[in-house]
Structures are given as C-alpha cells and as structure tokens.
Amino acid sequence: SSSTPENSIIDLDQVKKNYRRLSLKHHPDRRGGNEETFRALNRAKIVLSSPKLRREYDLIGLDLEDDAEDHHDDHHASSENASGDASKTENDEKEHSNNNNQNKTETVMSHLASATLAGVLQMVVRTALMGVVSVLLSRYTILTIVTLGMLVFLSTRIYSALNVAAKG
C-alpha cells in the first residue's frame, strides 16, 4: 500500500458492496464456495473498515485477528446498546477494550522487536565466531591439523571400544 493521502482513504460503501458480491460468490454453503476464501473476505472487510486495524496492517504487514475480532464485537455491542442507562457501562467497556487492544498490539510489536533483536545478535555472534575461527586457522594451521588428527584418532578409538563392548 502507498502512503499518499489519496490512497489511504477507503470508500466503505465500495468495500461493503464488493464484500457482499464476493461473499455471495464464495459462501461455503453455495456450490463452488470456499470456506477459506470466505473467511479471508470477512477478515479483509473488518480490517478495511477499521482505520486502526488498517493502520496496524500497513505498519506491521500482519492481520492481527484478535484485535479485529474484539473491534468487530465492540462495534456490534455499541450498536445494540442504545439506552441512556447503559452509556456509562458502554464507555467503561470501550475503555477496557481499547486498553486490551493496545496491549495486544504492544505484545505483537514487542515480539517482533525481540525477534529482530535476536536475529541481529545471532548474526553478530556468528560473524565474530567465523572471524575467530578464520584467524585461528590461518595463524595456527599446523596446530589445527594436529588437533583435527587427534580428534579423528580419539573418535575411532571410542567407536571401536563401543563395538567391542556391544559384542562382548
């Protein structure tokens, strides 16, 4: 997706219209329908309908299913709750849900940051070890050859001793 303002505006009526058309075509109860495609269409509609989820998808490139479902459930709950007495509890639920959604997003972001940091650290450690090994091999070639010869000799002795013990 592009970051220009013209492309970030979504026509919700067009999204709903296309969703209806494609969901009728791919509905699992219809002949030729596909359940996975139907689920993907539903997920896409939910993400495209929510500016917050769309922004997260553009930022991370992942569809955060839990956030979308919570947002979708909140939308239904708020449309069903129309009485004046329930407005205070509705606001409390929305605040709790927003904190919950933010925690989930922060958790995903922290996992991504941890994975990135772990990858960078692994690369640094491997590069350092390769440098050390190459220096040791180039400076101490004869010592390295003798050490490898000893390791081969010891491994053959251990292998033959295990074969003798297994037979006896």
Side-chain angles (χ1 to χ4, degrees):
S1 76
S2 180
S3 62
T4 60
E6 299 87 29
N7 292 336
S8 65
I9 298 173
I10 300 288
D11 183 10
L12 292 178
D13 292 333
Q14 188 68 29
V15 168
K16 289 178 184 177
K17 182 179 172 183
N18 287 335
Y19 170 75
R20 276 189 218 111
R21 180 177 53 83
L22 291 171
S23 66
L24 286 173
K25 179 180 179 183
H26 296 288
H27 196 279
D29 292 342
R30 291 192 145 200
R31 196 172 114 184
N34 185 348
E35 189 173 343
E36 282 301 314
T37 305
F38 186 73
R39 283 186 189 153
L41 284 169
N42 192 32
R43 302 285 319 131
K45 181 188 136 231
I46 291 170
V47 170
L48 287 172
S49 299
S50 168
K52 177 184 175 283
L53 294 175
R54 195 170 58 244
R55 200 171 38 250
E56 288 175 1
Y57 183 83
D58 289 343
L59 176 69
I60 302 174
L62 298 173
D63 181 14
L64 305 175
E65 286 191 37
D66 293 338
D67 283 351
E69 289 170 359
D70 288 344
H71 174 77
H72 193 61
D73 292 343
D74 289 344
H75 179 69
H76 285 302
S78 64
S79 64
E80 292 171 359
N81 250 343
S83 70
D85 296 336
S87 64
K88 184 175 181 178
T89 58
E90 181 181 331
N91 288 338
D92 291 343
E93 288 175 6
K94 281 185 181 180
E95 185 177 312
H96 176 69
S97 173
N98 287 341
N99 289 339
N100 208 10
N101 286 344
Q102 186 176 9
N103 289 341
K104 289 178 185 176
T105 303
E106 289 172 0
T107 302
V108 169
M109 294 297 273
S110 67
H111 284 294
L112 287 173
S114 297
T116 303
L117 183 62
V120 169
L121 286 175
Q122 284 179 354
M123 185 179 67
V124 167
V125 168
R126 288 177 182 169
T127 303
L129 286 175
M130 286 174 52
V132 168
V133 167
S134 65
V135 166
L136 289 176
L137 285 176
S138 65
R139 292 207 176 231
Y140 305 106
T141 306
I142 295 175
L143 181 62
T144 304
I145 292 171
V146 170
T147 304
L148 287 176
M150 288 297 293
L151 285 172
V152 169
F153 173 74
L154 285 173
S155 62
T156 56
R157 295 289 295 202
I158 291 171
Y159 181 73
S160 62
L162 287 174
N163 281 340
V164 170
K167 289 179 183 178

